[in-house]
Amino acid sequence: MANLLVLHGPNLNLLGNREPQLYGRASLDSLNQQLTHQAQQLGHVLRCVQSNSESHLIDVIHQAQTNDVDFMIINPAAYTHTSIALRDAVAAVHIPFIEVHITNIYAREPFRHQSFFSDIAVGVISGLGTRGYEFALTAANQYLSEHTH
């Protein structure tokens, strides 16, 4: 059994209402419930955190190390392109993670093409809607089975 953490960045609390043509109609609560169920089926414990505050996300990442989190799935949202502080926090805790984006950031505005996280991530999933989180959880399970003794 592994401890997993899903971090949702700014504005993801608006899922289901915010630009549904880009982000879909599923709410954040329904996404988190589905991910929690999927993690349980895989034999893991999952905690989901959403914050619009960069400092809160950094604090959660720091606590992840203390809380023995084995793997993280992170959608930094707009902080993907702006937050060196959040990147430094992720790098400092040495917890493997997958970067997830609901939309294809490479098919959007040019400023969204740069990620401060991709080069330190185990992998990146972009443009597959909220299903990207499901795929990331499956990949995290596989990663843990290959890298845990």
Side-chain angles (χ1 to χ4, degrees):
M1 178 189 320
N3 289 318
L4 310 175
L5 175 64
V6 174
L7 285 178
H8 305 284
N11 299 310
L12 290 168
N13 56 304
L14 299 176
L15 279 182
N17 296 316
R18 175 188 177 204
E19 301 173 275
Q21 72 279 10
L22 291 177
Y23 298 100
R25 299 217 177 267
S27 70
L28 184 63
D29 285 341
S30 65
L31 173 60
N32 287 340
Q33 288 173 9
Q34 185 232 327
L35 293 172
T36 300
H37 178 73
Q38 181 183 353
Q40 289 170 345
Q41 294 295 323
L42 295 169
H44 304 305
V45 174
L46 179 74
R47 179 175 174 229
C48 299
V49 176
Q50 187 281 325
S51 182
N52 296 317
S53 167
E54 183 180 38
S55 65
H56 183 247
L57 291 168
I58 290 168
D59 289 342
V60 171
I61 292 166
H62 290 174
Q63 292 165 2
Q65 191 172 39
T66 305
N67 294 339
D68 296 322
V69 169
D70 299 298
F71 202 97
M72 299 185 294
I73 296 169
I74 303 174
N75 183 343
Y79 292 138
T80 303
H81 327 289
T82 64
S83 183
I84 295 168
L86 197 58
R87 175 210 165 86
D88 287 350
V90 171
V93 298
H94 302 288
I95 299 170
F97 73 98
I98 294 174
E99 177 183 351
V100 173
H101 298 284
I102 296 169
T103 65
N104 180 352
I105 61 175
Y106 302 102
R108 297 188 62 192
E109 304 92 340
F111 69 86
R112 295 188 195 274
H113 299 180
Q114 170 66 40
S115 169
F116 285 119
F117 299 85
S118 298
D119 65 316
I120 59 172
V122 169
V124 179
I125 299 173
S126 176
L128 300 177
T130 55
R131 299 229 31 219
Y133 287 93
E134 298 172 43
F135 300 139
L137 192 50
T138 299
N141 184 61
Q142 183 67 36
Y143 178 93
L144 290 167
S145 70
E146 294 171 358
H147 292 87
T148 305
H149 307 293

